[in-house]
Amino acid sequence: MGLMAAYFLQKSGHTCAIYERGNVSLEHATSYVAGGMLAPFCELDGTEKLIGDLGLDALELWRDIAAELGPSLDYQENGSLVLAHSSDKNELDRFAHKVKIAGGGDGLRKVTGEEIDALEPALSGRFRQGFFVEREGQVDPRSLMPILQQHLIKQGVTFHFNTETSIVDSSHLSVNGETQAFRWIIDCRGLGARCDKPTLRGVKGEIIIIETPEVSFNRPVRLLHPRYPIYIIPRTDNLFLIGATSIENEDNNGVTVRSGLELLSAAYSLHPAFGEALIVELNSNLRPAYPDNLPHIEVNDNLLSANGLYRHGYLLAPKIALELSQFMATGNPSNRYAQIFEVAA
Ligand SMILES: Cc1cc2nc3c(=O)[nH]c(=O)nc-3n(C[C@H](O)[C@H](O)[C@H](O)COP(=O)(O)OP(=O)(O)OC[C@H]3O[C@@H](n4cnc5c(N)ncnc54)[C@H](O)[C@@H]3O)c2cc1C
């Protein structure tokens, strides 16, 4: 969120500095572990229309961002494929119903076995029905974060890593213990903001990255299942990210055996060649969420906080950043998304 805020604010004429308590790799951040799916329709299975609306607007912005960051960014808009094994085919109806009542029904296209085979030849003959969701994409966080950092540096943004900050008031930060004044402060600390925002909570998510040259996908594939729906995202270099659990647990202590079994067995059930893949990484982190699981921009004079991105930080960050930047220019929330703003009197 912080990188994306700097991207839009620097563009609109501000001079930005980023203070980050971790190191340049950002491996400790929630954003490092994410799948990076840009899925405004599929996410409606578990959230409300607001996320779909923000997400569709954000997808338009992602297209321009990806073009500006260049072809080395691992970004694609090849849609998503949603499948279920024949024993779980009721899940497809349940999924479509949930997406439809949240306003995203027009994004789903029912596909036959032949169409699935054409979209994903690696799955030929394995699934007889599903949905193709054309207007979705994905960005690899491990590709995006360094490329975006380099881009921002070229645009004049300064980075201060290993620098702990805390908020003194709406125009002062304590930076490594020393108070400094700023024209605007944008708080994008994720769960690190919990000291000032007691209703924020962490929702644990676990992922596994595997490597195999035996399977290739053109797009993220979601496998619906009554107990543990998963997605598999193809990455470069024969890598696949399998994700993600969503557990109301704030111990970011790694991947449990149960989650590992569920993620890997679902992948194996999608394609048996995943059985021979190498496990490259098991990882977890906590999604920052407010009680309503929706993003909020809180405004207190010149201090703006963008937080609660929960399961949708990649999808939403550009749109939230643009909303921030427009508020700073006009002093008013946009009419369309006024509900995400909380402006202190
Ligand atoms: C397993 C998993 C899968 C996910 N998959 C997806 C997905 O497919 N698509 C999607 O859209 N979203 C996904 N998400 C959600 C997404 O990752 C989050 O919504 C997003 O990363 C939140 O970003 P953030 O910038 O708010 O927080 P963070 O990424 O945690 O960034 C906050 C930064 O603030 C720094 N910080 C904190 N406190 C301080 C301080 N006091 N001083 C200085 N710096 C500080 C931290 O070090 C950190 O770098 C997933 C999340 C998980 C866990």
Side-chain angles (χ1 to χ4, degrees):
M1 186 64 238
L3 292 171
M4 205 51 92
Y7 175 85
F8 280 94
L9 292 175
Q10 193 81 11
K11 252 184 201 306
S12 60
H14 296 274
T15 303
C16 301
I18 294 187
Y19 295 86
E20 163 57 57
R21 75 174 166 198
N23 64 35
V24 65
S25 73
L26 297 175
E27 284 180 18
H28 56 281
T30 303
S31 301
Y32 185 82
V33 175
M37 278 192 306
L38 310 175
F41 294 101
C42 288
E43 285 298 317
L44 291 175
D45 186 10
T47 184
E48 50 192 84
K49 185 173 182 301
L50 173 67
I51 299 295
D53 292 345
L54 284 164
L56 277 173
D57 287 354
L59 264 191
E60 300 291 322
L61 301 171
W62 267 115
R63 196 163 299 140
D64 294 341
I65 295 165
E68 189 169 357
L69 296 183
S72 52
L73 179 69
D74 182 358
Y75 167 87
Q76 46 154 284
E77 275 183 60
N78 295 342
S80 320
L81 193 57
V82 183
L83 302 172
H85 290 296
S86 49
S87 52
D88 302 325
K89 66 178 189 316
N90 291 344
E91 279 296 302
L92 288 170
D93 297 334
R94 185 205 54 75
F95 169 82
H97 180 68
K98 288 285 292 288
V99 173
K100 194 172 165 191
I101 56 175
D106 61 334
L108 307 185
R109 178 162 68 84
K110 223 174 201 164
V111 281
T112 62
E114 276 172 11
E115 289 169 301
I116 294 168
D117 298 354
L119 286 162
E120 293 298 345
L123 295 174
S124 255
R126 303 189 62 79
F127 292 88
R128 304 321 315 150
Q129 55 185 321
F131 290 103
F132 178 49
V133 192
E134 194 169 2
R135 282 184 286 155
E136 293 197 338
Q138 66 102 6
V139 61
D140 179 356
R142 314 269 173 104
S143 161
L144 175 74
M145 292 202 292
I147 291 175
L148 186 50
Q149 275 181 49
Q150 287 312 311
H151 176 83
L152 292 175
I153 289 168
K154 280 193 205 132
Q155 302 303 312
V157 175
T158 52
F159 281 82
H160 306 263
F161 289 102
N162 305 306
T163 304
E164 179 85 28
T165 56
S166 58
I167 290 163
V168 177
D169 59 36
S170 59
S171 51
H172 293 86
L173 284 182
S174 166
V175 179
N176 277 343
E178 189 188 306
T179 300
Q180 293 185 22
F182 296 89
R183 172 80 180 84
W184 295 93
I185 297 170
I186 316 299
D187 176 8
C188 303
R189 287 175 293 168
L191 268 193
R194 198 147 50 163
C195 48
D196 298 321
K197 300 183 186 307
T199 60
L200 264 184
R201 73 185 198 287
V203 180
K204 186 176 178 186
E206 297 152 295
I207 56 141
I208 301 180
I209 298 179
I210 59 173
E211 179 184 356
T212 176
E214 302 299 325
V215 187
S216 96
F217 286 168
N218 298 314
R219 57 185 57 76
V221 176
R222 286 180 184 247
L223 183 63
L224 302 179
H225 184 284
R227 270 180 304 149
Y228 42 86
I230 64 147
Y231 51 77
I232 300 194
I233 308 174
R235 298 276 196 244
T236 51
D237 300 327
N238 301 324
L239 297 176
F240 294 83
L241 181 140
I242 313 170
T245 58
S246 189
I247 303 170
E248 291 290 342
N249 175 346
E250 298 202 308
D251 294 329
N252 184 26
N253 48 8
V255 178
T256 63
V257 168
R258 179 188 172 136
S259 297
L261 287 169
E262 289 177 352
L263 292 171
L264 290 172
S265 57
Y268 180 54
S269 79
L270 194 64
H271 197 300
F274 284 130
E276 300 305 318
L278 296 175
I279 296 176
V280 175
E281 180 179 325
L282 298 117
N283 215 333
S284 69
N285 216 315
L286 301 177
R287 304 170 178 96
Y290 284 116
D292 59 6
N293 292 337
L294 297 175
H296 291 263
I297 298 174
E298 293 172 13
V299 184
N300 198 332
D301 293 332
N302 291 353
L303 167 65
L304 286 85
S305 146
N307 214 321
L309 274 70
Y310 184 46
R311 298 171 57 110
H312 314 109
Y314 275 89
L315 174 63
L316 302 185
K319 184 60 186 166
I320 302 287
L322 186 59
E323 289 283 322
L324 268 175
S325 130
Q326 287 170 347
F327 181 92
M328 287 163 65
T330 63
N332 291 306
S334 69
N335 287 336
R336 182 157 157 81
Y337 294 118
Q339 75 186 97
I340 64 172
F341 281 86
E342 286 167 33
V343 184

